[in-house]
Amino acid sequence: MTLLKRKYCWFWLLLNILTGSISNLFLGKLLNVYEKDAWYTKWYYWALGLFLGFLPALIMLFILIIEVTVKICVKLEVPGSDLYTLPYPWIVCIIIPIIGWALFVILLIYTNLWYAIKLLQGKGEKYI
Protein backbone atom coordinates (compact mmCIF):
# COMPACT_ATOMS: atom_id res chain seq x y z
CA MET A 1 0.00 0.00 0.00
CA THR A 2 2.95 2.36 0.29
CA LEU A 3 2.91 2.58 -3.52
CA LEU A 4 0.18 5.22 -3.18
CA LYS A 5 2.55 7.70 -1.56
CA ARG A 6 3.45 10.93 -3.29
CA LYS A 7 7.01 9.89 -4.11
CA TYR A 8 5.80 6.96 -6.25
CA CYS A 9 3.82 9.02 -8.76
CA TRP A 10 6.71 8.84 -11.24
CA PHE A 11 6.76 5.07 -10.82
CA TRP A 12 3.06 4.88 -11.75
CA LEU A 13 3.48 7.20 -14.71
CA LEU A 14 6.45 5.22 -16.04
CA LEU A 15 4.70 1.91 -15.42
CA ASN A 16 1.61 3.22 -17.19
CA ILE A 17 3.65 4.17 -20.25
CA LEU A 18 5.68 0.94 -20.33
CA THR A 19 2.73 -1.44 -19.85
CA GLY A 20 0.22 0.40 -22.02
CA SER A 21 -2.05 1.20 -19.06
CA ILE A 22 -2.31 -2.42 -17.87
CA SER A 23 -0.72 -1.28 -14.61
CA ASN A 24 -3.92 0.66 -13.95
CA LEU A 25 -5.57 -2.66 -13.12
CA PHE A 26 -3.19 -3.07 -10.18
CA LEU A 27 -3.58 0.57 -9.13
CA GLY A 28 -7.34 0.05 -9.23
CA LYS A 29 -6.92 -2.86 -6.83
CA LEU A 30 -4.89 -0.69 -4.46
CA LEU A 31 -7.55 2.03 -4.57
CA ASN A 32 -10.37 -0.52 -4.26
CA VAL A 33 -12.34 0.60 -7.32
CA TYR A 34 -13.62 -2.80 -8.41
CA GLU A 35 -17.29 -3.63 -7.92
CA LYS A 36 -18.47 -7.05 -6.86
CA ASP A 37 -21.27 -7.52 -9.42
CA ALA A 38 -19.80 -5.69 -12.42
CA TRP A 39 -19.54 -7.22 -15.87
CA TYR A 40 -15.81 -7.88 -15.56
CA THR A 41 -16.24 -10.19 -12.56
CA LYS A 42 -18.35 -12.67 -14.50
CA TRP A 43 -16.19 -15.42 -15.93
CA TYR A 44 -18.61 -16.35 -18.72
CA TYR A 45 -18.18 -12.96 -20.41
CA TRP A 46 -14.45 -13.54 -20.61
CA ALA A 47 -14.96 -17.13 -21.75
CA LEU A 48 -17.31 -15.95 -24.51
CA GLY A 49 -14.84 -13.27 -25.55
CA LEU A 50 -12.03 -15.81 -25.77
CA PHE A 51 -14.30 -18.29 -27.58
CA LEU A 52 -15.16 -15.70 -30.23
CA GLY A 53 -11.49 -15.01 -30.83
CA PHE A 54 -8.55 -12.96 -29.70
CA LEU A 55 -9.90 -9.60 -30.88
CA PRO A 56 -13.13 -9.59 -28.79
CA ALA A 57 -11.16 -10.53 -25.67
CA LEU A 58 -8.64 -7.78 -26.42
CA ILE A 59 -11.46 -5.25 -26.86
CA MET A 60 -12.96 -6.35 -23.54
CA LEU A 61 -9.59 -5.89 -21.84
CA PHE A 62 -9.23 -2.43 -23.39
CA ILE A 63 -12.70 -1.45 -22.16
CA LEU A 64 -11.85 -2.79 -18.69
CA ILE A 65 -8.66 -0.71 -18.60
CA ILE A 66 -10.56 2.43 -19.60
CA GLU A 67 -13.25 1.77 -17.00
CA VAL A 68 -10.74 1.17 -14.22
CA THR A 69 -8.75 4.26 -15.23
CA VAL A 70 -11.90 6.38 -15.07
CA LYS A 71 -12.76 4.97 -11.64
CA ILE A 72 -9.22 5.73 -10.46
CA CYS A 73 -9.63 9.30 -11.70
CA VAL A 74 -12.92 9.67 -9.85
CA LYS A 75 -11.39 8.25 -6.67
CA LEU A 76 -8.43 10.64 -6.92
CA GLU A 77 -10.74 13.61 -7.70
CA VAL A 78 -9.45 14.42 -11.16
CA PRO A 79 -11.32 17.44 -12.58
CA GLY A 80 -13.88 16.80 -15.31
CA SER A 81 -15.48 13.69 -13.87
CA ASP A 82 -18.90 14.82 -15.09
CA LEU A 83 -17.63 14.37 -18.66
CA TYR A 84 -15.42 11.29 -18.75
CA THR A 85 -17.54 9.14 -16.40
CA LEU A 86 -20.39 9.14 -18.91
CA PRO A 87 -20.20 6.47 -21.63
CA TYR A 88 -21.51 8.77 -24.35
CA PRO A 89 -18.36 10.83 -25.00
CA TRP A 90 -16.31 7.65 -25.32
CA ILE A 91 -18.81 6.05 -27.71
CA VAL A 92 -19.19 9.20 -29.82
CA CYS A 93 -15.41 9.56 -30.04
CA ILE A 94 -15.09 6.01 -31.35
CA ILE A 95 -17.92 6.35 -33.88
CA ILE A 96 -16.87 9.66 -35.47
CA PRO A 97 -13.83 9.20 -37.70
CA ILE A 98 -10.66 11.29 -37.46
CA ILE A 99 -11.85 14.10 -35.17
CA GLY A 100 -13.54 11.67 -32.79
CA TRP A 101 -10.54 9.37 -32.78
CA ALA A 102 -8.27 12.29 -32.00
CA LEU A 103 -10.55 13.31 -29.13
CA PHE A 104 -10.57 9.68 -27.93
CA VAL A 105 -6.78 9.71 -27.73
CA ILE A 106 -6.90 13.06 -25.93
CA LEU A 107 -9.39 11.64 -23.41
CA LEU A 108 -7.12 8.65 -22.81
CA ILE A 109 -4.08 10.86 -22.33
CA TYR A 110 -6.05 13.18 -20.04
CA THR A 111 -7.23 10.42 -17.72
CA ASN A 112 -3.87 8.63 -17.69
CA LEU A 113 -1.85 11.76 -17.05
CA TRP A 114 -4.09 13.43 -14.50
CA TYR A 115 -4.23 10.53 -12.08
CA ALA A 116 -0.42 10.66 -11.89
CA ILE A 117 -0.65 14.39 -11.21
CA LYS A 118 -3.17 13.74 -8.44
CA LEU A 119 -0.86 11.09 -6.97
CA LEU A 120 1.90 13.72 -7.04
CA GLN A 121 -0.40 16.09 -5.14
CA GLY A 122 -0.87 13.43 -2.45
CA LYS A 123 -4.48 12.41 -3.14
CA GLY A 124 -3.60 8.71 -3.01
CA GLU A 125 -2.11 8.89 0.49
CA LYS A 126 -5.53 8.92 2.13
CA TYR A 127 -6.17 5.41 0.76
CA ILE A 128 -3.09 3.87 2.41
Side-chain angles (χ1 to χ4, degrees):
M1 283 298 213
T2 59
L3 290 174
L4 294 175
K5 288 189 176 182
R6 181 178 299 185
K7 63 181 179 180
Y8 292 111
C9 74
W10 299 110
F11 167 76
W12 286 111
L13 184 61
L14 183 65
L15 198 61
N16 185 11
I17 293 169
L18 291 177
T19 64
S21 299
I22 292 177
S23 63
N24 292 351
L25 299 175
F26 181 64
L27 181 60
K29 178 66 176 163
L30 291 177
L31 289 172
N32 199 19
V33 298
Y34 294 106
E35 297 172 7
K36 206 169 214 174
D37 295 327
W39 67 271
Y40 47 80
T41 60
K42 297 179 176 47
W43 65 271
Y44 47 87
Y45 287 136
W46 294 101
L48 180 65
L50 286 172
F51 177 74
L52 293 174
F54 179 71
L55 187 61
L58 191 64
I59 291 170
M60 288 173 57
L61 180 64
F62 188 63
I63 291 170
L64 174 64
I65 290 170
I66 291 173
E67 185 173 344
V68 169
T69 304
V70 166
K71 288 181 180 184
I72 289 169
C73 289
V74 168
K75 196 93 163 190
L76 295 177
E77 302 166 3
V78 171
S81 65
D82 53 342
L83 176 67
Y84 58 79
T85 55
L86 297 173
Y88 308 115
W90 296 98
I91 293 171
V92 168
C93 285
I94 291 174
I95 292 173
I96 299 174
I98 309 210
I99 295 171
W101 299 337
L103 290 175
F104 183 79
V105 170
I106 289 170
L107 262 172
L108 284 175
I109 292 170
Y110 177 83
T111 54
N112 283 312
L113 187 63
W114 264 95
Y115 84 78
I117 292 171
K118 288 298 181 175
L119 284 174
L120 179 62
Q121 292 175 352
K123 295 284 185 177
E125 291 178 354
K126 63 183 176 182
Y127 297 106
I128 293 178

